[in-house]
Amino acid sequence: MPKWIWMDKVFGEMSKLRQGLSGLWGVVTGTLGGTYTLDSTRVDYAKARALYDNTEESYKIGAGFAKKIVNAPVGYMGLPEFKSSDEDAQKTLNDFMKKNESKAQRTHLNAIKEGDCFVWLTREEKKSKLFPENEVHIVYNIIPPEQVTRIDLDPLTGEVIQYVLESQHSWHDESGSKRTCKIRQRISAERRVIEIDGENPPNAEPGDHDNPWGFIPIVHFKNDGDETTEFGKSDLESVEPFLKIYHDVLLASVQGSKMHSTPRLKLKLKNVPAFLLNNFGVTDPKKFASSGGQLNLHGKEILLFQDDEDAGFIEAKSATGDAMALLEFVFYCIVSASETPEFVFGVHTPSSLSSVKEQMPIFIQKVERKRKSFADSWQMLARMVLSMTSQSGLVTFDTFETSLVWETVDQRDSKDVAEELKTIVEALDKALAGGLISEPAAVEYLAYWVDTMHSYEGSDDVEGEKDRILKTKLLLRRLEDGQILDAEKNEAV
């Protein structure tokens, strides 16, 4: 096979959301047991953003689904809550996440949309008139993934040795002239090397700088990544062909709607001059035609015909046939490939209750999978925050280890939750009455379903549910006694 034909075949089979030549090569790395080639293809970030924003002309009608596909899991995922055994570490992480909640949410959004999101933590000591309380603080920076041109890995362990960043920067000097330069950075655990091609922009210091932290303060949030890939995958990759098909089919139907929906008049005539004379008053058809005369059917509610003459309409059928059936099929392909329930795409989409119940467990599994895939990155980010805070001399922590707590994804509505709680309470009450369960066991189990309940015995700082139940019973007893006394007084009177 000639080389150019082989190249055309390869590029023709590649995903439209994957960037060109990088798909033909990979990074050779491995473990102590052997080596393997790491796939270094990347998502076409600009095209992924265009699909999400629906600005790609060749997908315009079909890419409206893209934003729903990305936003739905991001909304259900929420943000993790860090849990640490060290109270100071807990407070530091809570404050950090509270200040950067919007950026953390955008991290999930960018990673799912584009496949990769890089977070760079920096420590700033600048005084600000607007934020005097943040004289020394850690800044949450999101790097555009295009700027990360290369990630150097350890050939044996696969750990990151160095990030190589490259960006174009433009600014205006004092005279108003536009200046541009290319900034290249190499960041490792020991140093940060900055190289500038062109004029030096303000506040930029090229050269070899020490890295004071002893680690690379960049966290890579990789969507659906595994050991064989260097970069993540966009959730739009699996549905991109269906978005294109949906656009093409619907566009063809819309473009042909004028021809398909506007019928053309068909006349079957034996005596054309007589027809023109009786209906349009044309006495000389040849002269009428040579002078460019036109027949106007507006207002002609009745047309007169002779024997064996007739009129009808020519109706053209769509070249695509019945587009509704094909569009519906493509829509369900989008639903299946994206693992997104039908109702997410809008209430106008017909979906029965049974189909929603069948699709929600799949969607919840997708959300849980996303959470677990990002868990290591969030825990690494928490370690970096604690380490940078500790090295700054602000506070010392006993441990950098944290765990993540996510809000439970519940597909039930309030009615279903109330009915389930009622069933549980009735079952526990019956088990208590039958002597099959103890009161502490019943309370501990019910506390799992009712957030306002405490543990049965409680602790030094928190009152136990046992004491609260006794207080409630005493209060009800007093109210009962008071009502009895009031009733006796009324009878005496």
Side-chain angles (χ1 to χ4, degrees):
M1 181 183 294
K3 180 180 179 181
W4 57 87
I5 297 178
W6 175 78
M7 294 284 283
D8 290 341
K9 180 177 176 59
V10 170
F11 292 142
E13 294 175 351
M14 289 178 66
S15 171
K16 293 290 184 64
L17 274 175
R18 283 276 148 182
Q19 294 184 1
L21 290 173
S22 61
L24 302 179
W25 296 278
V27 178
V28 178
T29 181
T31 61
L32 295 177
T35 61
Y36 57 87
T37 301
L38 196 63
D39 182 9
S40 60
T41 57
R42 304 179 72 168
V43 174
D44 187 339
Y45 302 123
K47 194 175 188 67
R49 296 187 194 110
L51 290 178
Y52 178 81
D53 297 327
N54 200 8
T55 57
E56 183 75 16
E57 289 299 327
S58 59
Y59 291 80
K60 198 75 174 179
I61 303 178
F65 296 108
K67 183 167 289 189
K68 298 284 187 179
I69 293 171
V70 174
N71 288 353
V74 172
Y76 275 87
M77 282 176 65
L79 294 175
E81 181 182 355
F82 295 105
K83 293 294 182 182
S84 174
S85 58
D86 188 297
E87 294 183 1
D88 293 332
Q90 182 73 60
K91 183 179 183 304
T92 300
L93 293 174
N94 289 344
D95 293 343
F96 178 80
M97 288 299 291
K98 185 177 180 180
K99 293 177 182 177
N100 297 283
E101 186 174 358
S102 62
K103 292 182 179 180
Q105 184 82 355
R106 199 158 67 248
T107 300
H108 281 164
L109 179 66
N110 291 352
I112 293 176
K113 174 180 62 179
E114 302 168 9
D116 302 291
C117 184
F118 296 91
V119 177
W120 188 355
L121 298 179
T122 59
R123 182 174 177 269
E124 304 292 343
E125 298 184 1
K126 297 179 180 179
K127 294 183 179 180
S128 172
K129 297 293 185 181
L130 293 176
F131 303 96
E133 70 279 4
N134 294 338
E135 182 176 345
V136 178
H137 61 289
I138 298 174
V139 181
Y140 191 113
N141 304 283
I142 297 179
I143 312 173
E146 298 95 329
Q147 292 188 10
V148 181
T149 59
R150 195 175 78 237
I151 302 177
D152 295 335
L153 306 177
D154 187 292
L156 297 179
T157 63
E159 295 181 358
V160 178
I161 300 175
Q162 177 179 255
Y163 282 95
V164 179
L165 278 62
E166 189 174 297
S167 61
Q168 295 285 344
H169 181 69
S170 62
W171 75 99
H172 292 82
D173 58 18
E174 296 179 355
S175 63
S177 301
K178 186 176 181 180
R179 305 293 184 181
T180 60
C181 70
K182 179 185 290 186
I183 302 177
R184 187 180 298 105
Q185 302 183 70
R186 289 181 286 122
I187 306 169
S188 64
E190 295 79 22
R191 59 179 52 85
R192 176 185 179 186
V193 180
I194 302 176
E195 300 173 353
I196 299 178
D197 295 339
E199 298 185 27
N200 289 351
N203 302 325
E205 298 180 5
D208 193 337
H209 307 275
D210 291 333
N211 182 356
W213 309 119
F215 57 84
I216 304 176
I218 297 177
V219 182
H220 183 188
F221 287 82
K222 183 165 61 173
N223 184 48
D224 289 345
D226 54 39
E227 304 79 26
T228 62
T229 58
E230 187 177 5
F231 298 95
K233 303 172 185 176
S234 170
D235 275 15
L236 300 179
E237 289 186 68
S238 60
V239 298
E240 176 263 333
F242 301 112
L243 299 181
K244 179 62 175 173
I245 295 173
Y246 198 95
H247 167 88
D248 292 344
V249 173
L250 189 54
L251 180 62
S253 300
V254 172
Q255 288 177 338
S257 65
K258 289 185 177 180
M259 181 183 69
H260 302 155
S261 59
T262 305
R264 300 293 186 265
L265 181 63
K266 179 182 70 174
L267 298 174
K268 182 182 179 182
L269 304 174
K270 287 186 175 181
N271 191 340
V272 175
F275 175 80
L276 294 176
L277 178 63
N278 294 334
N279 293 281
F280 300 98
V282 178
T283 57
D284 190 346
K286 290 185 178 180
K287 182 179 179 181
F288 180 79
S290 61
S291 61
Q294 295 182 353
L295 300 178
N296 187 3
L297 294 175
H298 182 70
K300 297 290 183 180
E301 298 180 357
I302 298 176
L303 294 176
L304 302 178
F305 296 93
Q306 298 182 12
D307 293 340
D308 296 331
E309 293 185 342
D310 195 8
F313 289 97
I314 301 175
E315 297 180 356
K317 292 185 178 180
S318 171
T320 59
D322 188 2
M324 285 298 297
L326 182 55
L327 288 174
E328 185 177 2
F329 171 73
V330 177
F331 169 76
Y332 281 110
C333 288
I334 294 174
V335 170
S336 177
S338 64
E339 299 177 299
T340 305
E342 298 172 51
F343 67 85
V344 170
F345 297 107
V347 294
H348 63 279
T349 304
S351 55
S352 63
L353 180 62
S354 60
S355 65
V356 172
K357 287 187 175 181
E358 290 172 357
Q359 295 168 16
M360 274 305 293
I362 300 175
F363 182 66
I364 291 175
Q365 290 176 3
K366 174 183 177 180
V367 172
E368 293 293 340
R369 186 177 69 251
K370 297 289 185 186
R371 288 176 169 180
K372 292 177 182 178
S373 66
F374 292 141
D376 291 341
S377 298
W378 281 118
Q379 288 177 316
M380 179 59 68
L381 185 138
R383 283 183 175 273
M384 291 182 181
V385 170
L386 296 177
S387 178
M388 295 170 76
T389 304
S390 177
Q391 291 185 53
S392 301
L394 301 177
V395 64
T396 303
F397 306 113
D398 295 334
T399 179
F400 294 163
E401 185 177 359
T402 58
S403 59
L404 301 180
V405 177
W406 301 85
E407 184 177 353
T408 304
V409 180
D410 197 343
Q411 69 187 74
R412 304 167 300 169
D413 56 22
S414 57
K415 181 180 178 181
D416 293 335
V417 173
E419 289 179 352
E420 184 172 4
L421 183 59
K422 178 183 176 183
T423 303
I424 292 172
V425 171
E426 290 176 352
L428 291 176
D429 182 62
K430 190 171 183 180
L432 276 171
L436 301 176
I437 192 174
S438 64
E439 184 175 290
V443 170
E444 293 290 348
Y445 185 84
L446 191 59
Y448 176 79
W449 300 91
V450 182
D451 295 337
T452 55
M453 290 183 65
H454 297 169
S455 61
Y456 188 74
E457 294 295 341
S459 61
D460 297 337
D461 301 328
V462 180
E463 184 180 22
E465 199 64 32
K466 175 183 177 181
D467 298 331
R468 300 172 76 186
I469 292 173
L470 291 175
K471 288 182 179 179
T472 303
K473 289 182 177 180
L474 290 174
L475 178 61
L476 294 175
R477 182 71 62 83
R478 290 172 184 171
L479 293 175
E480 237 178 68
D481 294 341
Q483 290 174 356
I484 293 173
L485 291 175
D486 290 340
E488 290 176 352
K489 289 180 181 179
N490 291 334
E491 289 179 1
V493 174

